[in-house]
Structures are given as structure tokens and as C-alpha cells.
Amino acid sequence: DADVTQTPRNRITKTGKRIMLECSQTKGHDRMYWYRQDPGLGLRLIYYSFDVKDINKGEISDGYSVSRQAQAKFSLSLESAIPNQTALYFCATSEPLATSYNEQFFGPGTRLTVL
Amino acid sequence: AQSVTQLDSQVPVFEEAPVELRCNYSSSVSVYLFWYVQYPNQGLQLLLKYLSGSTLVKGINGFEAEFNKSQTSFHLRKPSVHISDTAEYFCAVFSGSARQLTFGSGTQLTVLP
């Protein structure tokens, strides 16, 4: 079984709709991240969480919100989707920095298309 | 602030030829460097990492990278590529002053028969 899972894997939606992307992990890591990938831009950090009560904005948080329901679950929401949020979204996890130097483990991704 | 530059967005190479994917970083403090690989329709997988010690780092699938502090580079190399190495490769940097990993824009390696 995969250590980091994302649901759904693919989603097509319309402008203005609310969308939630979910991430679950069985690695026991405290730290979780949401990235979006766009061609030619690499991965950009949207939000990250160091534990259930520690949530931080990343480089491109506008238009997104997150919820850390438990150590193992981290959800990303688009309150009102717009076409330029069409992208591949990745969830990742890591151990504390002192032991991992931020080596991250990625889920398989969610391809989101906003029409 | 830290940043990563991958100088080549696309690298085509014939099977069994050597390849080098270039990565340069900027950071004012000590860094930790990573190469990730993304096969088609998959997530990112760690290829290798430099944390400290020997500047030549060996990873999975025959890849290696050399950390060059004076040139602020961490180029990825493989002496003989296979069709199965076709993928996108991302360089990433983490420094002690930052709380996050910074990724380069990626290099698409295409191995031709």
C-alpha cells in the first residue's frame, strides 16, 4: 500500500465550484505539505503544516485553504475554483528537520482541471 | 533567501550515451541538496541527496551527483542512460534558515532509441 495517498486522482470542475483535495499518510510523519506543479515552473508550495495546530502559508496560498484534521490527514480546498488553478497538485510528508533535512515523500498527485 | 536554477528545460539523449543535468543554487548558508525524479503520471521519488561528507553522492538507478560549493552547483550525471530513464528531474535545496524546500523548474530527460 502507498504511504501517501491522494484523492481524487483526477477532477474536472467548473469555475466557482468549491473543491476539496484530500491527502492521507501512513508514514507517521508530523509534517505535511501541499504543492502545485505547472509546466516550466516546477513545484510551488501552497501550504504546510508541522503538526495539527501549526499551519503556515507557502509561496502561493491565495485562493486556497487547508485543514489538518489529524496527524495523518491534510486537506486542500479551493473555495471558488478559477481556471488558472488548473494544475497537478501534490501532497508530501517529512520527518522533523533535525533528522530528515526536509527530505520529503510525495503522493501520486491530483490532476485538477477548472473549466 | 534560497533559489534553484535548472539550466536546461529539455535534454534529449540517445540510449547508452552519458548525460548531465545541471543544477545551480543560491543560498547564504549551509545547504542540503536533493534530486527527485518524476516518471510519467507518477509522483516525485527521491533519486539522491547531499547532506554532508563526500561531495560525490550516489543514488538509485546508477545516477550520481557532485556537490561543488565554490560553483554552487549540484549536477546530476549518469554514464549510460536507458529508455526507462525518460522522466522529469527536479533539483531542490533546503537551507537551515528556511522552513521549506525550494524546487527548480525541472529538466525533462528524453532518452531516444
Side-chain angles (χ1 to χ4, degrees):
Chain A
D1 288 339
D3 295 319
V4 184
T5 57
Q6 294 182 233
T7 56
R9 294 293 312 278
N10 289 282
R11 182 72 183 267
I12 300 174
T13 191
K14 295 182 179 180
T15 297
K17 293 291 187 180
R18 184 178 187 275
I19 295 297
M20 179 179 285
L21 309 183
E22 299 186 341
C23 176
S24 295
Q25 53 113 347
T26 58
K27 299 187 76 65
H29 292 167
D30 287 329
R31 295 166 182 247
M32 298 186 73
Y33 309 81
W34 274 106
Y35 293 90
R36 66 175 279 174
Q37 182 183 14
D38 299 277
L41 296 179
L43 274 74
R44 293 181 292 167
L45 185 63
I46 306 172
Y47 270 95
Y48 59 104
S49 171
F50 285 171
D51 66 37
V52 175
K53 295 183 180 180
D54 182 1
I55 293 178
N56 306 275
K57 292 182 177 180
E59 178 186 355
I60 53 165
S61 59
D62 287 348
Y64 301 94
S65 63
V66 291
S67 173
R68 185 81 183 266
Q69 301 94 324
Q71 186 208 36
K73 296 184 182 297
F74 192 35
S75 300
L76 176 72
S77 293
L78 288 67
E79 296 300 326
S80 179
I82 57 177
N84 76 1
Q85 291 177 314
T86 293
L88 189 54
Y89 290 83
F90 286 104
C91 174
T93 73
S94 73
E95 293 179 328
L97 298 182
T99 54
S100 73
Y101 302 97
N102 214 4
E103 175 184 345
Q104 295 183 13
F105 298 83
F106 286 81
T110 295
R111 186 168 297 280
L112 177 66
T113 302
V114 183
L115 302 175
Chain B
Q2 61 187 27
S3 66
V4 180
T5 301
Q6 291 185 243
L7 298 166
D8 306 298
S9 60
Q10 302 212 22
V11 174
V13 63
F14 287 105
E15 193 173 17
E16 298 183 4
V19 70
E20 177 179 84
L21 306 184
R22 297 180 293 171
C23 172
N24 286 88
Y25 67 91
S26 66
S27 175
S28 58
V29 296
S30 297
V31 295
Y32 308 103
L33 295 154
F34 305 85
W35 275 100
Y36 283 86
V37 59
Q38 182 182 25
Y39 297 106
N41 300 314
Q42 295 186 27
L44 278 71
Q45 175 184 355
L46 184 69
L47 201 55
L48 49 79
K49 60 188 176 185
Y50 172 78
L51 303 180
S52 64
S54 173
T55 57
L56 184 62
V57 180
K58 294 189 183 298
I60 61 172
N61 300 338
F63 283 92
E64 63 182 30
E66 186 163 16
F67 171 59
N68 188 319
K69 187 175 181 179
S70 63
Q71 297 187 4
T72 60
S73 68
F74 190 54
H75 300 334
L76 181 70
R77 301 186 182 100
K78 186 170 183 178
S80 176
V81 294
H82 303 289
I83 297 288
S84 59
D85 292 323
T86 293
E88 188 151 24
Y89 292 79
F90 292 94
C91 183
V93 62
F94 174 73
S95 67
S97 61
R99 299 182 78 192
Q100 51 190 272
L101 202 57
T102 299
F103 286 86
S105 56
T107 297
Q108 174 64 44
L109 173 65
T110 301
V111 181
L112 306 168

